[in-house]
Amino acid sequence: MGTLIEEIFSRKAGRPVQAGEILLLDVDYIMSHDNTTPLAIKAFREIGKPIHDKERIVLHLDHAYPAPNILAAENHKKIIEFVKEQELPHFHRQGVCHQVMLEEGYVTPGAVIIGADSHSNTYGAMGAFGAGLGSTEIAVAWVTGKCWFKVPETIRIELAGRTQPGVYAKDVMIHIVGLMGMDGGTYRSVEFGGEYIESLPMHERIIFPNMSTEIGAKCGLIAADEITLSYLQTQTPAQGPFEMIRPVHPRYERVLEIDVSQLTPQVACHPDVDHVKALAEVAGLEIHEVYIGTCTNARYEDLEIVAAMLKGQKVHPLTRVIVTPASDRIYKKAMKNGLIEILMDAGCTVTGTGCGACIGRHGGILAAGERALTTMNRNFIGRMGSPLAEIYLASPATAAATALTGKITDPRELLKSPFSTPQGAAQ
Amino acid sequence: MSKAWKFEDNLNTDEIIPGRFNITIDPLELAKNVFCEIKPEYSKKVTPGDVIIGGQNFGCGSSREHAPIAIKGSQARCVIAASYARIFFRNCINIGLPILECTEAAAGIQEGDEVDVNLATGEIFNRTTGRQFQARPLPDFVLKIAGAGGIVNYLKEHDIQELMA
Ligand code: SF4
């Protein structure tokens, strides 16, 4: 009996557990990427013990891949040599780690997954526990198969209603971040539910656990349901049966009820992710770069929305518009269905997959005094390059509208097709 | 005796060390750029044993250990904050950077104050104002890791199960 996190941890611990307990649990997968694996390898060597179970280790090259400089190249080399030396079976370089984790079926309901990346919370979209840790703990899990956790208290966010055309899950989550503030979920499990969440397809659900990191949450969870199952069965190689863990007579620390039906497009403004405004308040602000990418909003359906809005048009001549699909699989599907051609014809630069410009290493770095509008999840000062640049976060539709005009623009003004059904919007 | 360097609430890992410097894991290299955008004088003027004072949610943002490593590399003695971001908190324990949680000290110590810290007891004394503070005690298993000087050292001598024993 308990909240979703208590239920997930109870199943794993083999006994009922409650918030406040400290557990040492077996982990199902241990994820790390090119930014964090080198430190884990160093800690692994220092510990001096063998790997516990190679099957559970998943490594990615995505943060600065292909290597934009010599130091990144040395990191990649170090990781590849490690993969070879330890004969590790799960090594990926086909996109942003979290998207690849979902696509490759590592993430299943009830799984306990740790990642050396703060957005490992993303896995909560499938009803799995996902949490970010540092590299040293990743090395500890490599050799022990275990990790300690304090069972967190839960904040439930109950979402009612349906969004209006032109308003997306991203707008809803940015709104929540603004309401809760960036420490509003610290040490907590944040459970997202209610009729709105239940109505959402998987690509929209992912935004909520993904950005639960932005309110400091330990994890962000959505209980698995039929939509989760159908995603697993049709989009991933994961083999069932899957256990649909749900909260049972949960006791929440706090319940936040939000009706999304009147919400308008939202923007998280420079310099803090909880500096949230209705788009109308910042409309017209000049934008030098529009960046559509990352583990938050560069899925096929996101590209479809953007392509539908840019089809047959040209982006603003002085605004750079960069599109980085989240994974190769997404890229290929977008290519096959003609989206990439539409985007390129409109003047977008489509890059290879991965984290791209998100961490300011390559693929669209900003100069001092520039302002970007992006589909990313965080807007820390200096995140995309110069500390004197400004970053604004919004939905893919807002990014597309802004790409056309070169200034922050409400996508509803350019509403031509029914956005409420983004699937098929490109047809 | 240590000098205090004071930081604001919600200090994020990019403010501790911007992502573009995380191409190295050398503590001394990282320390050269620690706090470079928000307190550029820090890395030039810090003396070994100085103390970092933070507010709420210190170390939020990325999971990167580069942030606590950069602070440790600058030879700061410890961090005292009202509260920590979860991953940062774990990372500090794991790499052996001492951290204390104390809301009153975080508010009652200003930049440049002279501070004595007893890491074993959690007692904090502000010499400049004469005020004494007591940090919250850390859980047993955290003390075991801290006592070993970090999780890597702990595992050299112990099985992980012993943490919960
Ligand atoms: S896309 Fe950005 S937020 Fe997502 S994992 Fe990569 S760097 Fe992190």
Side-chain angles (χ1 to χ4, degrees), chain A residues 266-304:
Chain A
Q266 304 285 304
V267 181
C269 302
H270 169 80
D272 288 312
V273 69
D274 58 1
H275 187 210
V276 170
K277 294 186 180 169
L279 188 153
E281 288 179 54
V282 284
L285 211 55
E286 188 185 3
I287 294 294
H288 306 96
E289 178 171 307
V290 172
Y291 178 58
I292 296 156
T294 81
C295 56
T296 312
N297 269 136
R299 300 195 166 76
Y300 179 79
E301 295 81 357
D302 299 323
L303 302 187
E304 210 173 30

Side-chain angles (χ1 to χ4, degrees), chain A residues 33 62-63 96-98 117-119 210 293-296 354-356 358-359 376-378 383:
Chain A
H33 51 64
D62 63 347
H63 272 57
V96 183
C97 52
H98 306 307
D117 187 278
S118 57
H119 289 100
N210 176 272
T294 81
C295 56
T296 312
C355 298
C358 187
I359 46 160
M376 283 154 48
N377 48 32
R378 68 171 45 138
R383 174 90 180 166

Side-chain angles (χ1 to χ4, degrees), chain A residues 185-422:
Chain A
T186 311
Y187 305 133
R188 302 293 185 276
S189 169
V190 178
E191 209 176 283
F192 299 91
E195 53 163 320
Y196 170 67
I197 292 288
E198 283 159 22
S199 74
L200 289 179
M202 196 46 73
H203 72 273
E204 291 261 276
R205 288 186 183 187
I206 295 168
I207 316 275
F208 294 92
N210 176 272
M211 287 189 68
S212 68
T213 304
E214 275 47 63
I215 51 174
K218 173 172 195 145
C219 58
L221 299 175
I222 295 176
D225 61 9
E226 291 305 324
I227 289 175
T228 323
L229 282 199
S230 116
Y231 177 89
L232 282 164
Q233 282 156 357
T234 61
Q235 310 286 319
T236 81
Q239 301 285 328
F242 304 109
E243 207 179 326
M244 308 250 254
I245 305 172
R246 303 194 65 82
V248 185
H249 304 302
R251 284 229 325 264
Y252 296 119
E253 185 184 72
R254 195 176 144 203
V255 178
L256 201 69
E257 287 176 16
I258 298 172
D259 184 340
V260 302
S261 46
Q262 297 306 316
L263 194 74
T264 57
Q266 304 285 304
V267 181
C269 302
H270 169 80
D272 288 312
V273 69
D274 58 1
H275 187 210
V276 170
K277 294 186 180 169
L279 188 153
E281 288 179 54
V282 284
L285 211 55
E286 188 185 3
I287 294 294
H288 306 96
E289 178 171 307
V290 172
Y291 178 58
I292 296 156
T294 81
C295 56
T296 312
N297 269 136
R299 300 195 166 76
Y300 179 79
E301 295 81 357
D302 299 323
L303 302 187
E304 210 173 30
I305 292 168
V306 175
M309 291 179 64
L310 299 188
K311 190 170 187 181
Q313 308 207 56
K314 290 281 180 212
V315 303
H316 189 272
L318 299 182
T319 303
R320 310 182 298 271
V321 183
I322 300 166
V323 181
T324 303
S327 74
D328 286 9
R329 203 192 287 200
I330 291 165
Y331 198 154
K332 279 198 315 200
K333 186 172 173 193
M335 206 149 56
K336 189 159 157 256
N337 292 344
L339 304 189
I340 300 294
E341 194 171 339
I342 294 172
L343 295 173
M344 291 176 91
D345 284 346
C348 301
T349 301
V350 182
T351 76
T353 63
C355 298
C358 187
I359 46 160
R361 299 278 179 75
H362 66 152
I365 295 175
L366 301 177
E370 287 195 318
R371 191 179 293 126
L373 183 126
T374 103
T375 65
M376 283 154 48
N377 48 32
R378 68 171 45 138
N379 60 349
F380 293 161
I381 289 171
R383 174 90 180 166
M384 294 179 74
S386 170
L388 300 175
E390 297 183 0
I391 305 172
Y392 291 71
L393 311 177
S395 75
T398 299
T402 301
L404 288 170
T405 59
K407 46 192 197 219
I408 297 182
T409 301
D410 191 326
R412 295 173 302 176
E413 284 170 22
L414 305 170
L415 201 69
K416 285 187 299 192
S417 53
F419 286 107
S420 46
T421 53

Side-chain angles (χ1 to χ4, degrees), chain B residues 47-116:
Chain B
T47 50
D50 281 358
V51 171
I52 309 287
I53 309 293
Q56 298 284 352
N57 200 26
F58 188 93
C60 61
S62 145
S63 71
R64 63 179 74 117
E65 275 170 71
H66 301 80
I69 291 174
I71 296 177
K72 197 178 174 201
S74 77
Q75 304 198 41
R77 174 128 189 271
C78 66
V79 183
I80 301 169
S83 70
Y84 294 89
R86 190 188 67 83
I87 304 177
F88 185 86
F89 182 83
R90 295 181 79 116
N91 285 346
C92 289
I93 293 165
N94 286 327
I95 68 152
L97 172 66
I99 44 173
L100 296 172
E101 251 183 346
C102 183
T103 313
E104 299 76 26
I109 300 175
Q110 302 308 323
E111 177 103 356
D113 285 359
E114 288 177 1
V115 181
D116 289 335

